[in-house]
Amino acid sequence: GTLRFMKLRHYYRLPDAITYLRSKRRCSIVGVEITDSACDVSSHPFSGNTAFLLGNEGQGLGEVEMSLCDAFVYIPQYGPGTASLNVSTAAGIVLHHFAVWARYREQRRCAAKFVVDADQAVPPHRQFVAEPTDA
């Protein structure tokens, strides 16, 4: 259902997407990874427009992806049984913390559900950036 409220832009190469996000959308790129410089996501170390880069659950972000990041956050783990989180779970936690920091308005509620505002839906839109020819 959320897809009705999003515009998508597809890139064939990650560096091209990062360039677009930095230059056109004025985003900083924050990797979700455990590094020596990473900040606890619950400390809300954000500043302005932010795009998050997440790796896979086994190895996380690779060297190339990490080299594209401006900063890093990590999700603290409690208890001895979890070395990493499912990537969609990690994304939900990080995006929730960002929304709290950015003071996004909470959706209205009616009974036991949040109200979906159909007026906010956007026409289906998926833009593909030209595939590079230098393969």
Side-chain angles (χ1 to χ4, degrees):
T2 303
L3 193 57
R4 295 181 307 146
F5 300 91
M6 299 172 65
K7 291 182 180 181
L8 302 176
R9 189 176 187 98
H10 178 87
Y11 285 88
Y12 290 91
R13 293 185 180 161
L14 182 58
D16 296 337
I18 298 292
T19 297
Y20 169 80
L21 289 166
R22 282 189 177 128
S23 65
K24 302 293 184 190
R25 306 296 280 179
R26 305 283 189 250
C27 287
S28 61
I29 311 301
V30 175
V32 180
E33 187 61 78
I34 300 169
T35 67
D36 290 341
S37 65
C39 295
D40 177 343
V41 70
S42 66
S43 70
H44 300 162
F46 313 114
S47 61
N49 294 342
T50 304
F52 295 99
L53 190 57
L54 293 95
N56 64 43
E57 0 181 323
Q59 285 73 41
L61 293 172
E63 284 185 38
V64 171
E65 292 86 5
M66 289 177 67
S67 72
L68 298 170
C69 296
D70 301 311
F72 295 94
V73 295
Y74 73 94
I75 301 166
Q77 302 291 299
Y78 304 96
T82 304
S84 67
L85 294 172
N86 171 284
V87 69
S88 62
T89 300
I93 292 168
V94 169
L95 292 173
H96 171 79
H97 278 285
F98 185 80
V100 169
W101 169 82
R103 298 182 183 198
Y104 287 175
R105 181 181 58 84
E106 182 181 326
Q107 272 307 101
R108 293 178 291 122
R109 291 173 281 169
C110 181
K113 299 281 184 184
F114 287 100
V115 176
V116 175
D117 190 353
D119 294 338
Q120 297 292 322
V122 295
H125 179 86
R126 181 175 290 220
Q127 182 177 1
F128 286 85
V129 175
E131 187 168 6
T133 56
D134 59 322

